[in-house]
Amino acid sequence: MTSTSTPQGLARFNALEESAALAALHEVCASTAWARRLLADRPYTTVDDLYAAADAAMSGLTAADLDEAMAGHPPIGRPRPGDPDSTREQSGMACAPDRLKAEMLELNLAHQEKFGHVFLICATGRTGEQMRDEARERLGNTPERERETVRTELGKINRIRLARLVEADRQPRRP
């Protein structure tokens, strides 16, 4: 493979039928507008091109689009049953002591009450304590600031998930 050729995993994503590509993108982000924007920009030559398109699509999401994207994420400390991505991403809470899990549940509820959506954070690589501390701090945000923080966190999550999607040996799930 030369440096100008498209990486194997990205080439596979580019070649997917529209419905399969859309389903794969929905595994990355639950926003239909975000997924459709990435789908419309195919084919991608480099992974960096895909990331740039993802970032541009994220910055253009409306409040309703962000709500749709957030609805695809379970609360921290309660990964979606049977979802290996959710479990892996939230692994920092898996071995947390019960008191920390209970505190995180309280913070999730306070966040939901104040902002009307789940506390969303790019949990990959973070400990339970780090997530708890961030949840505490973000309760002090204004709704506008929290929405922009969520946009940033979603962008981080999407990049991690896109990287897994275009790995050379990973096959997207079929619709």
Side-chain angles (χ1 to χ4, degrees):
M1 183 184 308
T2 66
S3 61
T4 58
S5 65
T6 303
Q8 179 183 359
L10 184 58
R12 184 184 59 250
F13 170 71
N14 285 335
L16 288 174
E17 291 182 20
E18 186 171 330
S19 63
L22 190 58
L25 289 171
H26 271 129
E27 291 290 324
V28 173
C29 181
S31 166
T32 301
W34 181 87
R36 290 208 179 281
R37 170 89 183 265
L38 265 69
L39 190 61
D41 288 346
R42 283 192 315 165
Y44 295 98
T45 305
T46 68
V47 173
D48 285 341
D49 292 342
L50 176 63
Y51 291 157
D55 292 345
M58 182 56 61
S59 70
L61 293 184
T62 66
D65 296 332
L66 281 173
D67 289 343
E68 182 182 28
M70 286 185 282
H73 291 269
I76 295 295
R78 293 186 296 177
R80 188 168 286 117
D83 181 350
D85 290 336
S86 178
T87 301
R88 179 179 46 253
E89 291 168 355
Q90 293 194 29
S91 65
M93 288 299 295
C95 296
D98 288 342
R99 68 167 173 68
L100 179 58
K101 289 178 181 178
E103 188 176 3
M104 196 67 223
L105 175 60
E106 289 177 21
L107 288 165
N108 277 322
L109 292 172
H111 195 277
Q112 179 77 36
E113 184 175 317
K114 180 173 182 178
F115 299 111
H117 57 77
V118 298
F119 168 68
L120 194 132
I121 187 169
C122 181
T124 300
R126 292 186 190 226
T127 66
E129 290 84 0
Q130 290 170 323
M131 288 183 269
R132 178 208 52 213
D133 294 348
E134 183 74 13
R136 282 181 185 160
E137 182 178 321
R138 285 176 45 193
L139 276 172
N141 282 351
T142 63
E144 296 78 18
R145 180 170 180 166
E146 181 61 17
R147 189 156 290 275
E148 288 313 306
T149 300
V150 163
R151 187 183 302 273
T152 299
E153 293 299 310
L154 278 168
K156 292 175 190 177
I157 294 165
N158 291 352
R159 276 184 173 239
I160 291 167
R161 290 178 175 185
L162 282 170
R164 282 197 307 267
L165 174 66
V166 298
E167 286 175 358
D169 60 348
R170 181 175 171 138
Q171 294 293 320
R173 296 180 192 161
R174 295 290 173 205

